[in-house]
Amino acid sequence: MSEQADHIAVESDCQHGDDSHRHGYIGAKDDYLKRLRRIEGQARGLQRMVDEDAYCIDILTQVSAMTKALHAVSLGLLNDHMTHCVLAAAGEGDDAARVKIDEAMAAIARLAR
């Protein structure tokens, strides 16, 4: 089966409310979890820095690093959504594709704020 056919075959995998659905990030789930655990560690490190009265600029530098890490996760998830859920919906027709594109645009707008 071609890659495009795979996406179309899993079109229902991206639907909300379906307990059996698979999201586009599933193939990289372990990578995402590893990244999120690293970010969690960064957050604990920031708390420790504040607790230990670290220099403001050093704390801000770590906040920036954590923010970049969260943005990288967000962009990866957005890419997975576009290449899995949006592509699958495109195989269903214009209405389904429009819904997924609108979801992606709303997510982008939230990330850009």
Side-chain angles (χ1 to χ4, degrees):
M1 185 179 289
S2 73
E3 186 175 333
Q4 185 175 3
D6 286 341
H7 287 293
I8 293 169
V10 295
E11 65 197 39
S12 63
D13 292 350
C14 294
Q15 302 299 320
H16 291 279
D18 178 1
D19 291 338
S20 66
H21 66 279
R22 285 177 41 96
H23 300 289
Y25 66 84
I26 284 296
K29 183 177 179 177
D30 289 339
D31 292 334
Y32 281 114
L33 288 171
K34 192 183 315 180
R35 287 169 141 189
L36 291 168
R37 287 184 189 108
R38 192 174 310 126
I39 292 166
E40 182 180 25
Q42 287 177 298
R44 284 193 304 272
L46 282 166
Q47 292 171 14
R48 190 170 35 256
M49 289 177 78
V50 171
D51 187 50
E52 296 171 357
D53 301 321
Y55 184 54
C56 301
I57 298 302
D58 293 340
I59 295 170
L60 289 169
T61 299
Q62 293 307 309
V63 168
S64 176
M66 189 172 155
T67 300
K68 286 181 183 179
L70 282 168
H71 282 199
V73 169
S74 298
L75 290 174
L77 288 167
L78 182 60
N79 181 64
D80 291 340
H81 178 71
M82 298 297 289
T83 58
H84 180 81
C85 300
V86 173
L87 186 60
E92 292 180 46
D94 290 343
D95 291 339
R98 175 53 49 198
V99 168
K100 293 300 176 188
I101 290 169
D102 289 346
E103 286 177 347
M105 291 306 299
I108 292 167
R110 287 190 301 274
L111 290 171
R113 285 187 220 153

